[in-house]
Amino acid sequence: MTTEETATAVPPAEAPAAEAPAAAAPAKEKAPKAPKEKKEKPKQEPKDKDAKKSGGGAAGGDAKGLGLKNSKKDNFGEWYSELVVASELISYYDVSGCYILRPWAYAMWEVVQGWFDKRIKALGVQNSYFPLFITEDVLNTEKDHVEGFAPEVAWVTKYGNSVMEKPIAIRPTSETVMYPYFSQWIRSHRDLPLRLNQWTNVVRWEFKYPTPFIRSREFLWQEGHTAFATQAEAEKEVHDILDLYRGVYEDLLAVPVTKGKKSKKEQFAGAFFTTTVEAYIPETGRGIQGATSHCLGQNFSKMFDIQFEDDDRQKQHVWQNSWGLTTRSLGVMIMTHADDKGLVLPPRVAPKQIVIIPIPKGSAAPETLQAMMDKVDELSKSLEAKDVRVVTDTRNNYTPGWKYNHWELKGLPLRMELGPKDMDNQAVMLCRRDTGAKEVVKWEDVPARVPELLETIQADMFAAAKARTSGCTEVCHSFEEFMAALNNKHMALTPWADEEAIEEEVKKRSTTPDAMGAKTLCLPFEAPPLPEGTKCFYSGKPAKNWALWGRSY
Ligand code: 87F
């Protein structure tokens, strides 16, 4: 059991809360263009109010008892910045574009890691670790592909007071780090497939406006790098991994994504082809790349001389893939589900899935109080035995109302209340974070009902997000329809003749004084039929496939 307990006794619901203990926030937080973190301080509740009705006021909240000052609908950017700090996911840091992932955020990253790691190992991938630093010479082996990215590479140029003889790059990605060793380790077909992954940080000195999780100069990710004897094996893996990425988003984070291929213009320059999962944020009307799985073909094996001897003793270049998923996934999940009261976490990724809050009467006799506390303990243990992640909040210096707001801000999928009436009825009240729906459950039914309800919440959150995204995707057959969809903050699904020059033109023509141009997010693998004679929405030429377009992050 995890408990937020600071003392054994619980305060009466109708008594004003005592002064809060100091919150963990440091005194000074530099947050360039972002809200300052506030010290957590429980609001005092009126004496005569029932705890269930009173607002309390969450950490960083306002007097009305709402979790956040900004609203998701009216000022999305400010809402998001305020949310990630108030819910204790992020602290701003004095290097611009870098953020501290606090335990609440890191615990979710660990869930994502655990989910994905288990599955790639089942496919035969092994974890390893390669160094953070890259010499200039090695980075330049891949010059053609690095060129476009060069402005983002960070360099170490000094140690102590001395200037480095040769500056050393900090990895923005590890192709150039790993592939020289692939070349050494792969000799014969018996050394294949070689399938490595690493969980690391990377640094890309971006100049676009940074956003916690979504775009930061240092971020956490996994990068998979694999080598095969045949194209068929490599291509199979590209799709296996892409489906795992879909699983991370849809099955774990309850975020709908579209699987597809990147257009030639949008794919990784070093790739033979790039596949992607694309998500969408309705409030901003922008698509966002969730993760990518590349088939590199033999491009890198030719550059890095990675060859094997086949059965006939013939030398052949290996087929390679690379694939990556970052902490951005958490940002997309947060943006998708959170509301004006705070985070709304899908049960499967929530570090804690249910909070149990006792609500004793102020006048309760010590035995009555003890009986309630014993029940909290018993219920908690019975849920933990079912692998439910439980926290009990028996702190006596916060009122129940304040606690409700606090745990709503943190996004716990369920709250369990246990008051004097519930004790009499041998029941608890369960309250859903996603819908606010409440239900009374008998004590004996709790261990079965809670896990079932958590799965229902998970499914309902995904279904709701999927319905929102589907409602924001418009099939367009002309540029006029296309612009109307974009201006409606929607994505456009169009028949497409797949011409790079046209994609450039569409981007330019869809750029307005206050909105960026649209690009292809992907050519979806699942799309409506494309009857013979269907014309490209822009050029009028015969369409080759469907393209999903949108303004994007
Ligand atoms: C930034 C600086 C230098 C992206 C960069 O997508 C190089 C690069 O190569 C760079 N930003 N990329 C492409 C990364 C390709 C690939 N690497 C492995 C992935 C997935 C994981």
Side-chain angles (χ1 to χ4, degrees), residues 98 101 106 109 113 129-134 170-174 177 198-204 216-223 325-327:
C98 295
L101 298 186
Y106 200 82
W109 181 238
Q113 284 185 309
Y129 185 80
F130 287 74
L132 169 69
F133 299 115
I134 316 176
I170 303 173
R171 72 172 156 235
T173 179
S174 303
V177 179
Q198 59 174 2
W199 292 96
T200 72
N201 57 343
V202 278
V203 171
R204 295 178 185 175
S216 51
R217 286 178 168 171
E218 179 187 2
F219 56 87
L220 304 184
W221 76 348
Q222 64 62 220
E223 54 178 321
L325 169 82
T326 79
T327 34

Side-chain angles (χ1 to χ4, degrees), residues 149 152-153 172-173 175 204 221 225 268 292 294 322-324:
F149 299 118
E152 290 178 9
V153 178
T173 179
E175 281 79 358
R204 295 178 185 175
W221 76 348
H225 294 267
F268 170 39
T292 50
H294 311 281
S322 77
W323 27 274

